[in-house]
Each structure stands twice: as structure tokens, then as C-alpha cells.
Amino acid sequence: MLKKDLKVANNYLIKQLPKATAFINKKFEVIHASDQWINGFYFKNNVVFGKSIFTLFNANNQDWKIILEKCFTGQPSELFTTKIKDQNNNNQWFEWSNIPWYDDNENVIGAIIQAENITSRTIEELRIKKLETILHEKSEIAKIGTWGYDALTQKGNWCDVSKEIHDVTENIDLSLDSIIEFYKDGFSRNRISMAIHNAMTKGTSWSEKLEVTTTNGTSKWVVSTGKPIYKNDEFQGLLGTIHDIDNQVHSKIKTKENEHLLKTLIDNLPLNVYIKDTESRKILVNKAECEYMGVNAPDELLGKTDFDFFKKEVAQENRKDDISVIKSLKPILGKETVSIKKDGTITTFLTSKIPLTDNNGDAYGIVGISTDITHLKQKEKELRDLINVTSLQNKKLINFAHIVSHNLRSHTANFSMLLDFLVNEKEEAEKESILNMLRNASDNLLDTLDNLNEVVAISSNINLDKTPINLNNKVESVKQNLSAYIKKNKATIINEIPKNAEIKVIPAYVDSIFMNFITNSVKYKNPDKDPVIKISISKEGNYSVVSITDNGLGIDLKKYGNKLFGMYKTFHKHKDSRGIGLYITKNQVEAMNGKITVSSQVNKGTTFNIYFNEKN
């Protein structure tokens, strides 16, 4: 329906040719034009038709071209204004409209361009706008009074605003001296006296920020300006203004006091405080932030980002949080963050980030507040470690108490029974046999007490210092000490530990650990083959893992796995089995903050992995 309506309008325009109307085809060439168009732009018929609209106006206006191209697709344009020079080179303003031009088949064949001269209206609008600007400027300089001094009559005069500034309610005779006396005694009065003297003798003007004392005794800050008036090189008097700026000055003073108070407060907070802009550049920092960053003055931080001071991954995480707060306008409160400086210094903070918003509710930055909790995290870790150690020791203590109770009760019962036999026995030969049994029981009790003492010693010495040792040399030393035992059992020890391998351990424990594992591997060898024990090392996180693999009898872990490291637990019918070695070894490894794992297959062999903690 729109196209049809436009078509009717086009046909009407073609017939009526209203003023300043032209028709162009899709090549932007003028096909028809009204007399008003040709005469209004001072064209001649022979230079208008067939010419490009842009050539006629000596213009290559891309915006106009886009508008016309839209017309060619059936889209009429909104009005727009251009400025054109007439034949006298004067500015003329025209308001343009562009609408599609349809043929009888409702096909767009070009555009209809109409122009209206709005020069008079535009000039009037510019004049009104200028007057509005002047009025606006006058409104901005409120509380500005005028004053004058006539040298001939030696009298001064004030406008009503000037009287109001000086708290003068009636007309008073003003001499030059009386005008000067309104200025506060001291700097202000001396300054205005010198300014007036220079104006009268040298012809100079002045503009000074001074204090006046009103008739009510109130002090006010003003800006006093003045200039001399001459006629035929003869001094005629003075003209000037006086601007009441008392509110602004006191507001500025109050603002500075508040800023000083706020800065003093922020600088003395035991917190890192900073403000960032939307690009995460710091625009304000407090003293604590400067000290943490290792700079002497805030200027060394202002304008810089976290990428200038922290590791890349830390800076990226901080930037991500900044963007989140700025976009969502939701603060991040009490987030635990870890900052790593480029020098490797690690600090844990409890960080809050709050959006700074303008009157429109848009964020223009963030306020950051960080509390250093590194020492608290360290104390927390120490407390956690202490709790873990205490828990472990408590479990060991309970286990130890059960062991002591069980074993000593067994020995006590054995002694009691043998003594009863001895008392009741009449035969000397039997008494001697019982005495031998008592001696063996005594020796067994001593062995038990020695074992328990060794366990107590390990548990009591958990804080012994660890020192670095050459692990290859240590294994070779143990092999040397066991050489006779190894040779007797035709055992082979394969040491695959590199010659330069070092670990931090308690050396005395390592001797015992290797002694126990090597002798166990030989003791529980497969009777059908000679024992072969392989010792190697690898890295796994913070651990150096020593693996001891044998080809012995193996252990049924499904059956004995949960009892493997218990005291007096044995899993093979061997005459020398006591069930104390693995228990002591496990305690020694745990005393060094390590651990032991085991894998085994019956009649194929066993691998013990000893994890030596290199960090703690």
C-alpha cells in the first residue's frame, strides 16, 4: 500500500512540479527539475539535465549517496540540512528530502529530491542560540557585582550585588580609601592598595583572590578585578567587578580537610587499599600497598597494572576478577587469593573488590582492600600438621599400649606358671629344665623390651633434622655390611640408583630401613631359586621413591595386607621371623614424613616403594 501511495504522489509531483524539485535516475543523473530548482541554484538548463547531482553541487557526500541508494530500494529518507555557497559566495542553508520515484508499474526508477531554503530560519536559530549561551554564561557567574570610581568627583559606586556582598543595605558615600578599608587588614588590604596604585600610575589591570570584611564583621573570600579608564591619556577612574567565592573557598578547604583526614585514615590502616580504573590501572594506593610493592612513593605505582609486578597467571586472575566486578556491579568479598611477585615472593591475601559507580550507575573503577593472611595460613598449616602428628601419635600410643599390655601379660603369665612348676617340682632334673625355661623366658622378655624401646625412640625423635646423603653410597655401604649374609645365601643385589642421587633423610634410619628390607628379601627367598634384589629410584611430586623388588615368596595381600606392618605379625613359617622389622621400618619412614606402599604376588616376589618426603 505504501508503494502505491508513493506512486500517486510521484505522478502528482511530476505534473505539478512544486518548487525546488528534481528527479534523478539510479545513476544519480538529473532527469527533471522545476524552475525553482534551476533558478534557485543558479543553474542553466543545458548544464543540469543528464548531469550527476554530485557534479552539479561539486560534492562527494557519502552520506547523501547512501540515502539515495536507500531510496532506490523504496525507503524514503528523513530530512537533513546542508550549507551551500550562492553566487555571491554567501552561505545559504537548505533542508532536503529524498523519496523513491516509481513508474506506472510500481518499480523504483530513481529518487525525487526537494530542497527548501531555510537560511532566514537558520540565522534566527543561531542568533537565539547565541543569546541562550550568553544567558547561560551570566547564570554561571552569579554573585558578581560591579563597582566604579570617578576620579573627578572622587566618589565610588556599587551595584546592588556589590552592596549585598559587603552587607551594605543603604546608599553610602564611598571614597577610594573607604573601598580599600573593606578589605581585610594585612595581606588583602596591602594587595588591593598596590593593585589600585599600579592601575592609576601604570595603567595595569588586576584580578586578585582576597578577603573582605563586611559591615557585619563577617569575613568573605572574593575575586576582585579592576581596570583603569583613560580619556585622552588622562586618568578618569576605575571600573571593576567583585565576585563572592566564599562558599567555594570554604567548600574547597573543607574538601581538602576531608581528603587529608581520609588519606591519614587509609594510610594508617593495616590493610592494602587501592583504587583501579576500568583498565585495572591503579589511580590511588595507600602506604601499606606501597610497602608491600616495595616502592617509596605512590607515583611509582600509579598508572600501572598487576602485570607490571606479578606473575602472568596471577595478574590474569586479578584482571578477570576486576572485569567481573565492573560488569556485574557485584562486589567480591573476602576472597582468598595468592599473589606471586616477579621476584618469587608469595603472599596470601583476603581480598575484597567493590565497584565504583557514577550518577548513572555505571562503574568507572573498583576499590580493592586486601588483608595479608600469610602468617595466619602458616599458623593454620602448623596447627593442622600438629593435629595430624598428635592424631598419629595418639593412634600409635593406643596401639603401643595394646602391644605392651598383651606382650607383658603373656610374659608375666609364663613366668608365673613356670615358677609354680618350680615350687611344686621335686625332681632335680626337672627343676633344672624349668630353670632353663625361665632363663629363655627372661631373654625373650628382654628382647621384647628392647623392641618396644626402639619403637619408643623412633616415636620420640620425630623432629630429628634431615640431612642430604648420597643414596648410591648408602646402598653400597649396607651391601658391604651384609656381604657375608648375602654371600652365604647366594643373593644378588642390583643397585640401579644413579651415583649422584641425593635425598634428605635421617641417616641412621636409612641404614636400618635398607638393612630390614634386604635381609627380609633374602630371609623369605623362594627355595627354588637364588634371591635377586633390585633397588631403584624415581621422582613423584615432592617425593623421591625408592623401590626394592625381590623374587621371593611374596605375600598374600588380600589375606594379610591390613596386618602387614603390625608389630609381631608374621606371614611365613620361618624360624627367625619375629614380626618387628616392618613395624619399625614403617615407623622410621613415617617419622621422616614419608610413606610405604607394597605390591606382591605369591611365589613371584614383592616390591616395596618407600616415599621419602623431600619437601618436609
Side-chain angles (χ1 to χ4, degrees), residues 158-177:
W158 283 340
C159 73
D160 290 341
V161 175
S162 295
K163 291 177 183 178
E164 183 180 345
I165 290 172
H166 293 86
D167 286 334
V168 175
T169 57
E170 57 186 23
N171 292 326
I172 59 173
D173 291 331
L174 291 170
S175 65
L176 197 57
D177 288 340

Side-chain angles (χ1 to χ4, degrees), residues 465-500:
D465 291 333
K466 294 194 289 186
T467 57
I469 66 164
N470 184 293
L471 192 58
N472 182 282
N473 292 344
K474 179 61 68 176
V475 172
E476 292 300 320
S477 174
V478 172
K479 282 173 60 179
Q480 185 64 34
N481 292 337
L482 295 173
S483 58
Y485 181 73
I486 293 170
K487 185 177 181 180
K488 179 182 177 182
N489 289 277
K490 297 180 181 181
T492 301
I493 309 295
I494 302 173
N495 182 4
E496 294 185 347
I497 294 175
K499 291 185 177 181
N500 61 347

